[in-house]
Amino acid sequence: MTSTQQQTQGAKEVEQYDVIVIGAGVTGLYALYRLRQLGLSARSFEEGSGVGGTWFWNRYPGCRFDSESYTYGYSFSEELLQEWDWKEHYSGQPENERYLNFVADKFDLRRDIRLNSRVMSAVFCEDENLWEVTIEDGRRAKAQFLVTSVGILSAGYVPDFEGKDSFTGISCHTGRWPKEGVDLAGKRVGVIGTGASGVQLITEIAKEVSHLTVFQRTANFCAPLRNSPIDDETQQEIKENYTAILEKCMETPGSFMHEFDTRSAMSVSAEERLEKYESLWQESGFKKWLSNFYDVMLPGEANEDYAEFFRDKIRERVNDPVVAEMLVPKGHMFGSKRLPCESGYYEVYNQDNVLLVDVREAPIERITPTGLKTKDAEYKLDVIVFATGFDAVTGSLSRLDIRGEGGQTLADKFANGPRTYMGVQSAGFPNLFTINQASVGNFVRAAEPLVDWITEAMQYVKQNEYSRISATPEAEAEWTKHVAEAGAKILRSQADSWYVGANIPGKARGLLTAPDTAPVMRAKRNAVSANGYDGFLLQ
Ligand code: NAP
C-alpha cells in the first residue's frame, strides 16, 4: 500500500494521506484542488457542517464582501470564471457561501472533505516523519504534511465581561451566527463593537429590532460601500475582461483592482485635492482610499487632511451634533485600523429607537441576567450581539494543540508573537505549512499564489524523496526581525487593532500580517523556491 492511498488499519483505524488540510474554507478548498492536481492524496477536516470557512460561519445579517466580488473569486479556472455570475458588485454572505459550495461540487472536492470534524490536536511523530491529527470524535489520521487552512479571522473573541454567563436572553458572536438565524424582530438588542462586522450588522438589524443600543469603544472611519446589482451588460464586460482585472490585482500592493494616484495630496492645490476627494467619495468600495493620492495611506499630513474630509462627511449625515461627534473618529490615523464599508450606517443613529453609548467614557462593568451595566447606566436587553472581533492570525493556530519536534507547542512558541519564515513555516515544526501570516490584502488573490507555492513545495519534497522540509532557525530569526522592523513603520501598525494583536488583552504586540506588499511577498517566496528552498532544511 503506497502513502498516496488511504490506509485502513484494522479496528483502530488510522487513515493515512500525503497531506492533511485543516479547514475547508477559501484556502482549504483550493489546497485540495491543487494537491489532487499534483497527484498527492489529501483529506480536509472541517469543523463546520458545511464548506466555506469565513463565509460559512459569518452569517450575521448584513455580512458581505467589501472587495469587488469578481476580484475575490478564484482565478484558477477560466471555466469557473465564465460559469459563475456574481449578482452584486459586493456580494452578500449567502451568495458567497453558495459560490464556495458550487466550487466544491464543480471540482468534486467533497469526497476529500470530512465535515463536522473539529481537529483537537496535531502531533509530529518524529520517528515516522508524519503528523498525527486527532479529531473531536476520537478518530485519528496521519500525513506527511499538514496544512492549517484555518483562517486569519476565525478564532472569535468575546471579552471576559463579568457575569457573561448570567444573561438569560440570547447572545451570540458575529463569527458564530446560528445557521437557523436569530429572530430579532421586536426585540431590544444590544451590540458591542463597531468594527467591520458590527457596522454591517448594526445597519441591517436596525431595520427590524424594536430598540437598538450600540456600545461603541472606538469610532471608525466608515465609507459608503455603494453596492449595486450587476446588470447583464456589466456581467458580460466583467467576463470579457477577467484577464485584465486579475492581472491588475496581481500588480497592486494589496491585490485590489485599484491603483494609487502617484501624486502627493499635498502637491496639488486645496481645491484640486477636495475635488478628487469628492469624486472618489461617489465611487464604490475601497477606491476611496486605494485610488487616492498615494500618501493618504501613509502617516503624515495627507493622511490627516483626508481624515478631516471623512470626519466632515460623518458630521453631515448625523442629525444630532452630540451623537455625530461621538461617531467621528479621533485618536487614530485614517487607515491605521481596517476601514469598514457601510450602506446607511450613520443614518441608523438618526432613528428614534437607536441609542449610541460610549463605553470608553463609561466602560462596561458587567453583563447582567437582563442586560448590561456600564459605569453610568443599566440597559435592559433581550439579545446581546458580540461584534467584538477575533484573536486574529495566531489565535486559530494557538487554539489547536499543535506539537512539533520535542513536543514543543506552537502556542508556546508564539507566546511572544509569531516566529515564522515568510509566514509559511515555523522552525521545529517540519512539514507544517501555515497559510497565515503570509496573507495580505484581497484575501483570495493573496491566498491562491500562496497555496500554489506551498503545494509545489510539498511536491518537490516528495519528488526528491525527502522526508522533511523545515524552516531553519536562522531564516526564521531573520524573517521575524524583518517583520518587526518593517512592520513597525507601516500604517496598519500604528493603532490598537487586530493587525497587531492589540485587541486581545495580554497578546504580544506585533504585526500579524505580512510586512511586504503582495507582489514582494510572491517574489520573495518564488526566489526561495527557485534557489532550492533557500532557508529551509531538506532531509
Ligand atoms: P474588530 O474590527 O476587531 O472590531 C471589534 C470591535 O469590538 C471594536 O469596535 C472593538 O473596540 C470592540 N471591542 C472589543 N473588545 C471590547 C470591549 N472589551 N469593550 C467594548 N468594545 C470592545 O472585529 P470585526 O468587526 O469582527 O472585524 C475584524 C476584521 O474582519 C475586519 O477588520 C476585517 O478585516 C474582517 N471583516 C471583513 C468584512 C468584509 O470584508 N466585508 C466584514 C467584517 C469583518 P476597539 O476598536 O476599541 O477595540
Side-chain angles (χ1 to χ4, degrees):
M1 196 176 282
T2 71
S3 67
T4 54
Q5 293 170 316
Q6 177 180 335
Q7 294 179 2
T8 306
Q9 301 174 350
K12 288 192 176 172
E13 283 180 13
V14 180
E15 300 158 19
Q16 193 165 314
Y17 307 93
D18 291 323
V19 188
I20 289 173
V21 178
I22 308 181
V26 162
T27 56
L29 290 176
Y30 183 52
L32 288 180
Y33 172 83
R34 284 291 287 154
L35 290 165
R36 199 184 284 168
Q37 261 194 338
L38 296 175
L40 300 175
S41 66
R43 168 73 76 195
S44 156
F45 293 104
E46 163 58 54
E47 182 182 352
S49 59
V51 302
T54 285
W55 301 105
F56 172 86
W57 294 108
N58 286 268
R59 47 183 75 243
Y60 61 83
C63 181
R64 64 174 60 251
F65 288 157
D66 276 350
S67 313
E68 289 75 11
S69 310
Y70 34 92
T71 69
Y72 191 96
Y74 292 114
S75 70
F76 67 83
S77 160
E78 181 59 28
E79 206 177 283
L80 173 64
L81 287 168
Q82 295 304 323
E83 215 169 308
W84 181 261
D85 287 346
W86 289 107
K87 295 191 174 54
E88 294 174 279
H89 283 272
Y90 302 89
S91 179
Q93 180 275 332
E95 186 69 356
N96 308 342
E97 191 187 1
R98 262 196 294 281
Y99 170 73
L100 292 165
N101 274 278
F102 178 81
V103 170
D105 290 330
K106 179 173 172 61
F107 298 101
D108 188 23
L109 301 177
R110 289 188 202 276
R111 64 182 153 98
D112 292 333
I113 301 170
R114 192 161 303 151
L115 299 172
N116 302 305
S117 297
R118 180 169 173 216
V119 171
M120 302 306 289
S121 69
V123 177
F124 186 64
C125 310
E126 295 183 52
D127 48 344
E128 295 174 282
N129 290 312
L130 293 176
W131 281 94
E132 180 172 301
V133 160
T134 303
I135 313 302
E136 197 169 21
D137 64 7
R139 280 177 302 173
R140 290 177 298 144
K142 286 185 176 182
Q144 184 177 2
F145 302 101
L146 180 65
V147 178
T148 52
S149 292
V150 290
I152 61 168
L153 291 156
S154 53
Y157 165 65
V158 176
D160 199 13
F161 294 120
E162 206 184 310
K164 199 164 65 180
D165 298 331
S166 70
F167 185 57
T168 52
I170 299 167
S171 66
C172 58
H173 185 272
T174 48
R176 279 288 188 277
W177 200 261
K179 213 171 172 182
E180 63 283 6
V182 183
D183 182 13
L184 299 173
K187 302 261 173 36
R188 294 166 303 176
V189 180
V191 178
I192 306 172
T194 52
S197 304
V199 165
Q200 288 183 331
L201 170 108
I202 288 162
T203 312
E204 199 56 32
I205 68 171
K207 296 170 188 163
E208 60 168 327
V209 302
S210 83
H211 191 273
L212 178 62
T213 311
V214 176
F215 299 94
Q216 172 191 268
R217 189 166 64 182
T218 308
N220 265 313
F221 292 95
C222 309
L225 179 63
R226 305 198 197 286
N227 183 32
S228 58
I230 296 177
D231 60 33
D232 291 347
E233 200 185 319
T234 314
Q235 188 76 256
Q236 201 184 329
E237 231 172 81
I238 291 166
K239 289 190 178 178
E240 282 168 7
N241 286 305
Y242 256 131
T243 307
I245 293 170
L246 295 168
E247 269 175 18
K248 171 57 66 197
C249 289
M250 297 318 271
E251 289 166 8
T252 61
S255 307
F256 293 98
M257 61 189 278
H258 315 299
E259 222 171 353
F260 284 112
D261 186 329
T262 52
R263 294 171 301 161
S264 159
M266 307 325 279
S267 72
V268 303
S269 69
E271 293 71 34
E272 197 177 335
R273 212 157 49 231
L274 187 60
E275 201 180 307
K276 175 141 183 129
Y277 293 168
E278 287 289 1
S279 85
L280 283 175
W281 191 257
Q282 300 311 322
E283 299 275 359
S284 63
F286 288 172
K287 223 172 169 178
K288 288 172 213 59
W289 46 94
L290 297 180
S291 293
N292 214 320
F293 300 105
Y294 77 91
D295 50 354
V296 151
M297 291 301 274
L298 296 175
E301 206 183 346
N303 178 280
E304 178 49 25
D305 189 66
Y306 194 54
E308 201 43 39
F309 170 84
F310 242 79
R311 293 185 189 111
D312 285 344
K313 288 290 183 199
I314 298 167
R315 290 181 181 113
E316 279 169 19
R317 291 171 62 185
V318 183
N319 297 342
D320 181 332
V322 176
V323 176
E325 238 18 70
M326 287 166 76
L327 289 164
V328 166
K330 302 165 188 109
H332 68 273
M333 278 183 268
F334 175 82
S336 59
K337 282 171 170 260
R338 161 66 147 74
L339 297 151
C341 287
E342 50 83 26
S343 307
Y345 175 65
Y346 291 109
E347 285 73 14
V348 160
Y349 296 96
N350 296 332
Q351 289 181 209
D352 290 339
N353 63 338
V354 177
L355 175 69
L356 180 64
V357 176
D358 181 344
V359 293
R360 194 173 291 281
E361 270 297 301
I364 297 170
E365 282 187 345
R366 78 177 79 96
I367 307 286
T368 68
T370 53
L372 184 156
K373 185 177 177 325
T374 68
K375 183 172 139 282
D376 287 351
E378 193 159 350
Y379 302 87
K380 298 273 182 223
L381 302 167
D382 303 311
V383 179
I384 299 178
V385 179
F386 295 101
T388 40
F390 300 89
D391 184 352
V393 185
T394 50
S396 47
L397 293 173
S398 304
R399 288 182 192 187
L400 293 169
D401 184 12
I402 298 179
R403 289 167 192 266
E405 286 171 335
Q408 175 181 213
T409 69
L410 200 62
D412 281 348
K413 181 156 183 201
F414 285 1
N416 296 317
R419 297 184 57 79
T420 73
Y421 181 32
M422 299 189 300
V424 299
Q425 260 212 0
S426 194
F429 295 81
N431 299 350
L432 165 64
F433 289 97
T434 52
I435 306 206
N436 217 281
Q437 189 194 10
S439 314
V440 67
N442 199 6
F443 190 75
V444 185
R445 297 281 67 74
E448 267 183 340
L450 178 58
V451 169
D452 290 341
W453 191 90
I454 285 171
T455 49
E456 280 156 25
M458 291 187 245
Q459 189 193 37
Y460 181 87
V461 171
K462 283 205 82 74
Q463 278 178 349
N464 290 282
E465 296 180 5
Y466 292 115
S467 315
R468 293 183 184 197
I469 178 169
S470 32
T472 65
E474 295 76 22
E476 175 184 286
E478 207 175 306
W479 182 259
T480 305
K481 187 165 167 267
H482 169 61
V483 175
E485 288 174 359
K489 293 180 197 142
I490 62 179
L491 188 58
R492 60 179 192 276
S493 287
Q494 311 304 318
D496 290 344
S497 78
W498 69 261
Y499 285 147
V500 289
N503 62 326
I504 305 296
K507 188 167 176 173
R509 190 184 178 109
L511 186 68
L512 294 169
T513 53
D516 301 312
T517 65
V520 170
M521 284 300 293
R522 288 198 305 276
K524 284 187 176 177
R525 285 197 303 265
N526 292 342
V528 163
S529 49
N531 227 353
Y533 291 91
D534 201 13
F536 288 93
L537 190 64
L538 290 152
Q539 291 169 295

